[in-house]
Amino acid sequence: MKFSYLYYHIISSSEREMVVISLIYFLIGLLACTVGAMAGLGGGIIIKPLLDALGHYDLSTIGVLSAATVFSMATVSLIKLRNSDLNVDRLNSFLIAIGSILGGFIGKGLFNYFVINMGSSKIVGIVQSSLLSILLIIIFIFMKHNNHIKTYHIKNRLVILSVGLVLGLLSAFLGIGGGPLNVAALVFIFSMNTKDASVNSIFIIFFSQLSSLLLVAGSTGFDDYNLSMLWVMVAGGIIGGIVGSNFVSKLSNRIIERTFNVTLLNIILLNFYNIIMQIG
């Protein structure tokens, strides 16, 4: 009788812990994708450092969880926004998306090369967090002062494809989905306001995350990854996409820009924390 009583309480405690963990991952997907859909950040830029901080999964698994969650967000966001009056530059955004897909293959190859050759995901994690922090600081300064910086209206398709290639390479290597890089690039090369750039960023992210998932499916498959939290995060991503796309339709460009900058600043601080913890 005592053994049965103890066994019941051990299982009960384990189940309660699993519920709490599932709730945390659902909220990460929900928060990241709500802000991601609203400010064009995508969500991966938030998901990756948060999952790094939790420390439950390796870098490769985090990449798959992030890609699937962000892809679900991008899908529902585009469905919600298809009848809105927001400006989606489909041709140029599609060219960037194609470049991002090509760059994504290169970036993923570089990531796998460094993981295999360095033999330590910890070192790669420190490199990722450090590079990401530098990039985000540059983007934060640019977005904060973009009204005083000369922007362009690039029309050369080769240049646009090349920009997408660089964005895809960096995003895939850093495992972030490309959101803030996309927004900054769209503002800089097409002189978009932050609100329009955020919507076009989601359009680009849809294709880049789809290609990332197809690459995993066609190469290693998903069996080697611990995806126990996948559907919990995807559920959060779907709801976040619906909520975030409603916000972006109703809020002013100024509020979207402020949301983008505040979120970016918090992500920079979180990355600094991750670097310190990984080094320590």
Side-chain angles (χ1 to χ4, degrees):
M1 179 68 72
K2 287 182 179 179
F3 176 80
S4 299
Y5 180 82
L6 179 62
Y7 180 76
Y8 169 79
H9 278 278
I10 290 173
I11 295 299
S12 211
S13 173
S14 175
E15 288 174 347
R16 284 197 297 270
E17 183 179 351
M18 183 56 66
V19 169
V20 172
I21 292 173
S22 298
L23 180 60
I24 290 170
Y25 277 85
F26 170 78
L27 291 174
I28 288 173
L30 177 63
L31 171 66
C33 289
T34 298
V35 177
M38 182 171 63
L41 292 165
I45 191 72
I46 302 172
I47 292 171
K48 200 239 175 229
L50 282 175
L51 296 194
D52 279 345
L54 287 174
H56 293 157
Y57 299 108
D58 59 37
L59 292 174
S60 297
T61 300
I62 289 172
V64 174
L65 290 171
S66 176
T69 305
V70 174
F71 175 70
S72 66
M73 176 279 296
T75 303
V76 297
S77 294
L78 290 176
I79 292 171
K80 287 282 293 177
L81 292 168
R82 71 187 185 281
N83 295 322
S84 72
D85 58 354
L86 292 170
N87 178 30
V88 179
D89 188 341
R90 286 180 174 83
L91 176 58
N92 286 329
S93 292
F94 186 68
L95 286 172
I96 291 179
I98 295 299
S100 293
I101 291 169
L102 296 174
F105 289 135
I106 299 171
K108 196 67 177 176
L110 287 172
F111 173 80
N112 292 335
Y113 173 81
F114 281 111
V115 169
I116 292 170
N117 283 275
M118 287 185 177
S120 171
S121 59
K122 180 179 179 181
I123 296 173
V124 177
I126 293 170
V127 172
Q128 279 185 321
S129 296
S130 301
L131 287 175
L132 183 56
S133 297
I134 294 168
L135 274 174
L136 293 181
I137 290 170
I138 294 170
I139 293 170
F140 177 79
I141 293 170
F142 169 73
M143 294 299 291
K144 191 76 174 172
H145 302 285
N146 69 80
N147 292 330
H148 308 290
I149 298 173
K150 180 177 173 56
T151 57
Y152 299 87
H153 291 87
I154 302 295
K155 294 182 180 179
N156 187 302
R157 294 182 180 180
L158 184 59
V159 173
I160 296 170
L161 274 170
S162 300
V163 169
L165 184 75
V166 174
L167 293 177
L169 191 157
L170 290 170
S171 300
F173 181 76
L174 297 174
I176 59 170
L181 303 180
N182 294 341
V183 173
L186 290 166
V187 171
F188 184 66
I189 69 174
F190 297 128
S191 295
M192 290 185 183
N193 62 43
T194 306
K195 188 170 181 176
D196 285 338
S198 70
V199 176
N200 283 272
S201 174
I202 298 300
F203 183 82
I204 297 165
I205 286 167
F206 171 83
F207 291 101
S208 63
Q209 296 307 291
L210 174 61
S211 68
S212 178
L213 292 170
L214 290 175
L215 178 62
V216 173
S219 54
T220 61
F222 296 99
D223 292 340
D224 294 335
Y225 300 96
N226 179 2
L227 302 178
S228 56
M229 290 294 130
L230 176 65
W231 298 112
V232 174
M233 293 192 71
V234 166
I238 291 171
I239 297 171
I242 294 170
V243 175
S245 56
N246 282 331
F247 279 142
V248 77
S249 297
K250 297 173 182 177
L251 298 176
S252 68
N253 180 69
R254 183 179 179 184
I255 294 176
I256 298 298
E257 188 170 324
R258 185 174 297 174
T259 302
F260 181 94
N261 288 331
V262 169
T263 305
L264 215 58
L265 185 58
N266 281 286
I267 296 168
I268 290 168
L269 294 174
L270 180 58
N271 271 284
F272 283 151
Y273 169 80
N274 284 337
I275 292 168
I276 293 168
M277 294 302 294
Q278 288 166 336
I279 292 173

